[in-house]
Structure formats: C-alpha cells, structure tokens
C-alpha cells in the first residue's frame, strides 16, 4: 500500500482514539466536580490530555466552563474533541479508497453531526450527552473497522494507530494521578480519596472491571497494576502492547519478514510488561516509570513512521 | 422550444410515458421528502463539490434533481454512432498535430490556429503514445433542440469530470425509487469503472507484460473533483495517488509504498498539463512529479489523457471537427456542430458585433461557463463591454446562435416545471475499441429560463436513462 495511506490510517485511528479518551476524561472530571468545590479534576483532565499549557496561555485560571469548552469544542486546541474530529476526517478523506464504506460512514456522519459542538450550538451544560455521543462514535468506528476491514496491512496499520494512542493515553491518565497511587498496600482513606481513585478507573471505564478482577475495596496499588500490567484489562499498557506487538508482527509477516527498530522496541516493551511486577515499578518510582513509558511510546510511533511511511 | 417529456398538446412522448405516470402519482410533499433524503445520502457518502469564491459551507452539494432524463434506445443508438465517430476523428487529429500535421498541409485547418495555439505542447512532438490514443476519456457535451436535432456544443478531450455523478445519481435513484426503477427498463451504467480500467490497461506501454499497474493521480482532497477521483480509484480497485506519492528514477515512475518503491505503468491523471511536471511545465507546481515527462517520453509510462490533448478542446478548433471526420475517416459526420462564427474573420466579426443580442459569445479557451456572454439575456451595457473585448482580441472569441435548449421536467420550489438541460456522455477509448456506457451526465439549469447548466454557475444534475426499448404504453 501507499506509504501515505498507511500514514493517514495510522493517524485516523489515533485521532478517533484520542477523541474517545478526551471524552472519557471529561466524563470523569464532570462526575467528580459534583464532589468537590475545587477544580483539581479539570486540571487533571487538561494535564492528562497534554492541554494544560495551551489552556493556561489562553485562559489562565482553570474554571469548569472554560475547561469544558477547551477540551470539547475549541478548534485552537489540537486535542479537543472537535479538532480530533476534523483531523480524523481529513485523514479519512485523504485516503478514502483505503477505508471500507462502513468506516467512512462512521467518521463522516460523526463529523457532520459534530457541528453540534461548534459555536453557539455547543452547550456546556449538556456535556454529558455529548460525551455519551462521542463514546458511541468511538465504539462505532472501532466496530466498523474490526467488522469490515480485510485482515491485510491496511487493517494492521489502523490497529497500530489505535493502540499506540491508547497506550499513550492510559499512561498519561495514570501519570497525572501518580501522587495518589502511593506505594503502600493501603485501604481507602476519606471519601475524597475514594472518589479520586475511582475517578481514575472511571476515566478508563474500569470501575466494574476492577471489582471483577480484584473483588476487594479500591486500593491504589491494585489500580496501578490493573492499568499497567493486567492483560485482561483492555486499556492497560500490557494489553495495548500485546496488540501493538501483534500488529507489527503481522506487518512483518506480510512484508516477507522485513523488520526494523520499531519491531524490536515494541517487542522489548511488550516483554517487560508481560514479565514485569508492580512492586518493581513502585521501586523505580511510578512517575519515573510512566514518564519513560510515554517517551518510549512516542519513540515507537516515530520508528513506525520512519520504517513504513517515508 | 422542445420539451423532452411533453408534446405541445401536453401528451407525454413515448420514452417518458413511465415517468409521466410516476410523476402524476406523486405529490409535491412526497417529492420534497425524497429530495431531502437524497441530499442526506449525498452528504453522508461525501459527494460534495467545492465552489470557490463564496463563503459558508466549504463543501456543497451539486443539486440533484429527482426527475430522470430519458432517451429511447433508437435515439441513443444514433448518438452512440456519432460519438464514436467524432472521438475517433479527434484522436486522429491530435496524433496528426503532434506528428506529420497532414491536416494543416492539406489546408483543412488553418496553420496559424494550431501552430500559434498555447494549448499546443512542444514536448509532445514526435512522441509515439501507446495505442495511438490521446483522449482516452472524452466528455462530449450535447444539446438538443428538437426530436431529431442533437448538436455537439463542445468537446472535452483533456480531463472531463462528472462521471461519478452519472454513477451516484443512478445509485441514489435506485435507492429512493426501487419499484419505479425496476419497471422502467433502463440500461445499466454501473459497468463504467470496469470499462474504464480495461481501457486504461489496454494502453499500457509496450514493455509492460500481463498485468499493468494503473493509478489515479489527483491534486488532493482540496480539489473540487476530489470525490470523483477517489470514487473512480476505489471502483477500479487501483491506488489513488498524489504527486508526492510518485517518484521518477532512471526515467521510470514508482509509487512510494510501505514495502518500498513499486513501478507504475499507467497514470490516469486528473491534474492539468501545466502542473504535471515542474521540470517541463510550471516550475512552482507542487502537485506534479519531477521527471514524469522524461519517463513518458522514454516510453516507460502512459499518461491518460495524453499531455497536449487540450489542443482539440479549443472552441475555434471545434469549428473544424466535422472537417476532421471527413479528412481522417472519409465519412460524413453523424453529429452536427452548432453553426459558429469566428471573430478572427473580418466578415464574421462584423456580423457578430451587429447581432450580439441574438448570439452566445464564448472565449475560445474558456471553460466551465466562465468567460461567456448570452446575448439575449445580457444587458445593453454588458453587450457593449463584451463588444469592446471582442474587438480588442478577436482571435479569442467565437459566437454561436442562442440555441433553444430542450427542457425537461424538474422539481423546483414551485413544483415540477420545465428547465433547460444538456448531456455529457463519456466516451472511453482503449487501444482496441471505443466504449460508451449508455447514459451520461445530464446537467440542468435550475433557474427559470436560464441556459447555463454548469455546476459552478448553480446548475444541477439528473439521472440519465437510456431505455432498453423505445418506451410507450
């Protein structure tokens, strides 16, 4: 396939995933803001999406209304939901021929509907509905490509985009809260702590999953393990890297075994996650560990592009 | 004025009998609902068209009219014969112009018209193109003024567009009115993409063995016809590439792929000549491929339509197409030209200037409905301004009588009313045969009385039906 097509699909999938993640963070912040007077949750959401600096430059102090708008509907913010829609659709349109009609329809009809986020049509007080809608768009896109694409390199590049973006997002969400996840096997303190911890789970739609896996009260140690090392948790770094590793292996297989640095790096990270232990992560320091993970994931994205898309 | 559907006494003509019954059974409300549904479909599929200059929605729809335009089998058979003949002559002409120039030597076409024409492309001289084909996809614009009176209005040998509308209009029609369509006995158009691919494969360079690699070259997604480019590539199952996806090494063209460079044999380009290769044409072109012309001249790639084919689109050259049919084919032309006055001839110029109020004046190199004046609809001041332009540069203009274009019932705000239409069939020339899918693009001037059907000037489109029989009953 064309290098540019691979690039477009990769970014299409990344923007669709990012949009979905921003929506989940908005939802988590929204649900928390009923619990506290402060704006800490909004600051977290801005930081986890990498929007904190841009926000501060534009608005200064964080308020709920402005943060909601900045994350959902501000075209000056390249990671806002609306910007993600635009970027996803531009990439989809650039390579329409590589998309199945179901995928195109999922992206294009969502883009047409995304006008509800523009200008006066945007209603911050109805952000809950918007979040639900955006999540359904993400699910539809994912379902469309999983259900209709041929299992050839077009599919594996798309999948690579989804999971590299998801790994990055999960690491960021955790990193923003690392100070809450103390390296002690402690129970929940006050109600405030409890809500903050569960907000992490909520941001990755894992409140129920936690209960199914651990069948115990919410503990920070477990949360970190769930989101980093557990293979059955679909947004954990481990699960993402298993997918990335598999996608790259499939690409190598369809290119007569040709491999590069991206394959080695992905394999190395996947192996570390597969055999890693949560106590070792806390020994290194959770923040240090996550920072490195974010950097390596970014480097992997670059390696994929320089190997396949130049 | 000839209405395609109704005789002067209000009785539907035979080919339109089914459409007339269908229209009677529908009320305006039902039509409006269907029209809205069609619009939603077009938007969802992304069949949009960029109209420059205006603000607002950057992606607009070409209005789609629900009422089909119908041709009987016998009418089509005659058109088809005439179109094939005309395109054979045009191809022979372009080939001649770039080689022996016999038609000039024979004095059938004035030398100055060709040799001083900016559309004449020097790098094409003496180049043997694969299969001897120059215009592989030709769009011939026809108008009708009476039951048996079809005229060619212009030839588009360069890069005619609109065929995706022919196909999508049909798809939408079949989706909106399946029962009606099923009983109408209409020839299918859906085979166009496979015929196009076959034509493109047939002109692969001689070195190329069994399975040539064809690509569609687009200026990119901001081009107004981008949807069509991606649609055709998709339907043919070939790559849609931009200039930056192609690279020329040792006079061979390759695409950049995830597995390295892959050789390309045939390029169906939807980029104008000027932008194709910055080494030869416009140096500031970022859309093209440096070295493409070297590869072309070395016989390592086929470019369709051929570079320089635009020489046949000139509106002054148009005048000589019937002569080309006689000269190259030894046949009498089946399709008529509109009588045309050439302003560079002094006697014809004075006739034109004296009769501007009855004539349509066109720039010889204009297209898309720009640079023309319809005398009867122009104001006195507009006519005076145009007269000045003509006198300043008579070579650049031709004039034709204002034809009473046929009308076809069209759904407009006030209900169903007659509007003027034209027809662009798409003629496919491969190395061995000429194919025309029965149908074409019918464009309709939506404003009452307007004769300008171009989408850039607010025209719409219709599904075009060629019946398997001649209709009636």
């Amino acid at each position: 396939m064309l290098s540019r097509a691979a690039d477009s699909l990769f970014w299409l999938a990344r923007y669709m995933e990012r949009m979905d993640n921003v929506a989940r963070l908005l939802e988590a912040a929204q649900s928390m803001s009923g619990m506290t007077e402060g704006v800490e949750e909004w600051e977290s959401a801005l930081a986890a999406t990498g929007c904190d600096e841009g926000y501060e430059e534009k608005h200064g102090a964080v308020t709920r209304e402005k943060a909601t708008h900045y994350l959902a509907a501000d075209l000056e913010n390249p990671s806002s939901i609306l910007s993600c829609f635009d970027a996803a659709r531009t990439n989809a349109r650039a390579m329409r021929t590589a998309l199945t009609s179901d995928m195109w329809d999922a992206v294009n009809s969502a883009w047409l509907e995304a006008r509800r986020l523009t200008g006066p049509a945007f209603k911050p007080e109805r952000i809950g509905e918007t979040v639900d809608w955006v999540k359904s768009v993400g699910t539809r896109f994912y379902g469309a490509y999983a259900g209709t694409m041929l299992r050839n390199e077009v599919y594996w590049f798309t999948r690579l985009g989804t999971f590299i973006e998801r790994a990055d997002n999960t690491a960021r969400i955790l990193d923003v809260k690392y100070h809450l996840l103390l390296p002690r096997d402690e129970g929940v303190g006050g109600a405030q702590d409890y809500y903050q911890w569960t907000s992490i789970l909520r941001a990755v739609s894992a409140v129920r999953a936690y209960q199914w896996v651990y069948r115990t009260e919410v503990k920070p140690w477990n949360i970190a393990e769930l989101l980093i090392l557990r293979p059955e948790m679909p947004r954990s770094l481990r699960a993402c890297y298993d997918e990335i590793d598999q996608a790259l292996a499939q690409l190598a297989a369809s290119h007569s075994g040709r491999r590069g640095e991206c394959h080695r790096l992905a394999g190395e990270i996947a192996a570390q996650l597969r055999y890693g232990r949560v106590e070792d992560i806390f020994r290194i320091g959770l923040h240090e560990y996550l920072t490195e993970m974010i950097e390596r994931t970014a480097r992997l994205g670059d390696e994929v592009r320089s190997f396949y898309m130049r | 004025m000839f209405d395609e559907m109704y005789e002067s006494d209000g009785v539907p003509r035979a080919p339109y009998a089914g459409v007339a019954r269908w229209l009677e059974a529908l009320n305006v409300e039902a039509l409006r609902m269907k029209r809205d549904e069609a619009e939603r479909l077009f938007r969802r599929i992304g069949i949009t068209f960029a109209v420059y200059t205006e603000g607002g929605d950057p992606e607009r729809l070409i209005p789609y009219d629900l009422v089909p335009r119908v041709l009987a089998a016998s009418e089509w058979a005659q058109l088809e014969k005439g179109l094939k003949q005309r395109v054979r002559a045009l191809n022979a002409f372009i080939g001649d112009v770039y080689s022996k120039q016999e038609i000039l030597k024979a004095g059938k076409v004035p030398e100055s018209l060709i040799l001083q024409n900016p559309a004449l492309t020097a790098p094409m001289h003496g180049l043997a193109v694969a299969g001897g084909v120059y215009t592989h996809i030709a769009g011939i614009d026809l108008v009708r003024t009476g039951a048996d009176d079809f005229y060619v209005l212009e030839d588009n040998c360069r890069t005619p567009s609109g065929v995706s509308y022919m196909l999508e209009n049909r798809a939408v029609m079949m989706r909106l009115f399946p029962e009606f369509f099923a009983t109408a006995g209409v020839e299918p158009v859906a085979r166009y993409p496979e015929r196009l691919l076959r034509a493109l494969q047939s002109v692969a360079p001689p070195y190329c063995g069994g399975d040539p690699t064809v690509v569609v070259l687009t200026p990119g997604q901001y081009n107004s016809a981008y949807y069509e480019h991606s649609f055709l590539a998709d339907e043919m199952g070939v790559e849609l590439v931009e200039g930056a996806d192609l690279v020329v090494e040792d006079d061979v063209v390759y695409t950049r792929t995830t597995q390295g460079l892959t050789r390309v044999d045939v390029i169906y380009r939807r980029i104008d000549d000027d932008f194709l290769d910055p080494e030869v044409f416009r140096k500031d072109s970022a859309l093209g491929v440096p070295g493409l012309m070297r590869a072309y001249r070395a016989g390592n790639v086929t470019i369709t339509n051929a570079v320089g084919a635009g020489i046949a689109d000139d509106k002054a050259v148009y005048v000589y197409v019937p002569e080309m049919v006689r000269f190259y084919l030894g046949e009498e032309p089946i399709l008529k030209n509109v009588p045309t006055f050439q302003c560079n001839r002094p006697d014809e110029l004075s006739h034109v200037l004296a009769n501007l109020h009855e004539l349509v004046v066109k720039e010889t190199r204009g297209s898309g409905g720009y640079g023309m004046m319809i005398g009867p609809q122009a104001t006195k001041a507009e006519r005076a301004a145009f007269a000045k332009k003509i006198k300043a540069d008579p070579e650049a203009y031709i004039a034709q009588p204002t034809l009473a274009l046929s009308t076809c019932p069209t759904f407009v705000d006030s209900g169903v009313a007659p509007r003027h239409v034209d027809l662009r069939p798409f003629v496919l020339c491969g190395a061995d045969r000429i194919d025309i899918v029965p149908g074409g693009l019918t464009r309709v001037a939506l404003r009452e009385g307007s004769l300008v059907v171009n989408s850039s000037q607010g025209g719409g489109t219709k599904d075009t039906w060629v019946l398997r029989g001649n209709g009636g009953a």
Side-chain angles (χ1 to χ4, degrees), chain B residues 365-408:
Chain B
R365 311 198 212 310
S367 69
Y370 295 102
M372 67 187 261
M373 183 202 70
I374 300 175
Q377 295 179 358
T379 64
K380 221 168 176 172
E382 284 166 344
R383 286 201 295 268
F386 230 83
K388 222 176 190 174
K389 291 208 286 194
I390 299 169
K391 275 186 257 178
D393 188 9
E395 299 247 321
Y397 295 92
I398 53 119
Q400 295 167 337
T402 311
L403 296 182
L405 300 195
S406 60
T407 56
C408 180

Side-chain angles (χ1 to χ4, degrees), chain B residues 331-384:
Chain B
E331 298 170 7
E332 268 310 297
I334 298 165
L335 292 175
K336 288 176 281 194
N337 258 19
V338 181
T340 302
F341 303 103
Q342 295 177 272
C343 298
N344 63 347
R345 296 183 175 174
D347 51 330
E348 296 187 12
L349 173 63
S350 51
H351 174 85
V352 167
L353 292 173
N355 296 282
L356 272 183
H357 59 288
E358 290 178 348
L359 297 170
V360 177
V361 186
K362 297 176 179 173
E363 278 180 32
T364 54
R365 311 198 212 310
S367 69
Y370 295 102
M372 67 187 261
M373 183 202 70
I374 300 175
Q377 295 179 358
T379 64
K380 221 168 176 172
E382 284 166 344
R383 286 201 295 268

Side-chain angles (χ1 to χ4, degrees), chain A residues 1-6 89-99 104-105 108-109 111-112 115 140 153 157 254-256 258 307-310, chain B residues 40 42-48 57-59 218 221-224 226-227 229-231 233-234 238-242 245 255-260:
Chain A
M1 70 188 290
L2 283 181
S3 305
R4 186 169 54 84
R89 203 236 185 201
T90 301
N91 278 289
R93 197 162 179 267
M95 264 304 141
R96 273 195 72 142
T97 48
L99 270 59
W104 166 255
D105 195 35
N108 189 51
S109 35
W111 179 79
L112 291 170
R115 285 174 194 177
R140 184 174 166 206
E153 52 175 338
F157 279 118
S254 66
H255 294 178
S256 36
R258 204 171 138 257
F307 190 69
Y308 286 115
M309 303 168 192
R310 294 281 146 78
Chain B
R40 279 196 302 277
F42 278 105
R43 283 219 187 261
R44 267 183 72 174
I45 304 169
I47 311 174
T48 47
D57 190 352
E59 291 182 4
T218 174
Q221 64 169 314
Y222 300 103
N223 184 271
S224 58
Y226 178 74
Y227 171 75
H229 307 160
S230 70
F231 173 83
D234 200 22
V238 306
E239 293 284 10
L240 176 68
V241 304
E242 295 179 10
D245 297 323
T255 48
R256 295 180 216 266
T257 77
T258 53
Q259 308 194 59

Side-chain angles (χ1 to χ4, degrees), chain A residues 13-300:
Chain A
R14 288 196 71 156
Y15 281 116
M16 292 304 281
E17 182 67 23
R18 186 173 302 176
M19 163 209 90
D20 187 71
N21 276 289
V22 173
R24 285 170 200 280
L25 282 163
L26 264 171
E27 187 181 35
Q30 186 70 18
S31 70
M32 274 305 294
S33 56
M35 303 297 164
T36 75
E37 288 296 301
V39 290
E40 191 191 326
E41 280 304 316
W42 294 102
E43 285 167 350
S44 298
L46 288 166
T49 48
C51 296
D52 41 351
E53 284 178 22
Y55 177 92
E56 197 186 334
E57 215 167 273
K58 181 165 178 177
H59 293 299
V62 173
T63 72
R64 177 181 166 171
E65 288 72 27
K66 284 179 183 161
T68 305
H69 180 264
Y70 193 74
L71 287 170
D74 194 338
L75 281 172
E76 288 174 34
N77 171 12
S79 290
S80 72
I81 290 173
L82 195 57
S83 295
C84 287
F85 268 123
D86 269 2
R89 203 236 185 201
T90 301
N91 278 289
R93 197 162 179 267
M95 264 304 141
R96 273 195 72 142
T97 48
L99 270 59
T100 65
S101 53
D102 289 36
M103 280 171 85
W104 166 255
D105 195 35
V107 177
N108 189 51
S109 35
W111 179 79
L112 291 170
E113 251 192 273
R115 285 174 194 177
R116 66 159 79 175
L117 292 175
T118 56
F122 177 65
K123 302 270 184 289
E125 67 277 13
R126 299 177 65 177
I127 190 67
E129 270 170 49
T130 304
V131 161
D132 286 344
W133 170 70
V134 173
K135 282 161 62 183
S136 76
V137 168
T139 310
R140 184 174 166 206
F141 172 73
Y142 189 82
Y145 87 72
T148 61
M149 278 178 108
L150 285 175
R151 289 329 189 232
N152 56 20
E153 52 175 338
V154 182
Y155 174 75
W156 298 113
F157 279 118
T158 309
R159 220 160 156 83
L160 211 45
T162 298
F163 287 100
I164 287 182
E165 183 68 26
R166 188 178 290 179
D168 176 73
N169 285 304
T170 297
R172 283 172 190 280
I173 288 168
L174 269 179
D175 192 37
V176 165
K177 300 284 190 178
Y178 77 93
H179 56 276
L180 281 174
L181 301 171
L182 302 170
R184 286 272 65 89
D185 197 5
E186 285 170 356
V188 174
Q192 173 99 359
D193 273 0
Y194 176 80
Y195 282 118
Q196 295 218 338
W197 282 319
T198 52
S199 82
I200 302 175
L201 294 173
R202 193 165 290 122
V204 292
S205 305
V207 179
R208 283 288 179 80
Y210 181 93
Q211 291 304 332
W212 278 103
V213 173
Y214 294 102
R215 298 187 185 284
T216 175
E217 63 194 307
V218 175
K219 292 177 188 169
W221 182 277
N222 290 346
I223 293 175
E225 188 193 56
L226 181 69
L227 293 185
I228 297 173
L229 297 174
R230 294 297 292 223
E232 62 270 59
M233 170 64 208
R235 291 179 177 271
S236 73
L237 294 177
R238 161 80 193 272
C240 292
Y241 267 91
D242 282 350
E243 296 283 355
I244 292 166
D245 197 32
Q246 190 206 1
L248 283 167
Q250 292 283 351
L251 285 170
S254 66
H255 294 178
S256 36
R258 204 171 138 257
R259 283 170 181 269
E261 167 61 14
C262 54
H263 297 84
R264 191 205 62 77
L265 181 60
E268 180 185 293
I269 301 173
Q272 286 166 351
L273 288 164
R274 206 164 297 156
Y275 300 110
R277 290 183 307 190
V278 71
E279 47 269 42
D280 296 329
I281 292 171
F282 277 114
R283 196 169 306 124
I284 300 165
L286 183 59
H287 176 58
E288 288 69 21
Y289 179 85
L290 291 169
T291 307
E292 199 197 337
M293 196 53 103
I294 292 167
E295 278 166 11
R296 291 167 93 193
T297 303
R299 189 155 76 77
L300 178 63

Side-chain angles (χ1 to χ4, degrees), chain B residues 116-136:
Chain B
Q116 268 119 60
N117 199 304
L120 190 74
T121 309
M124 289 302 291
H125 284 292
L127 175 62
V129 300
V133 185
Y134 289 83
T135 181
H136 308 78

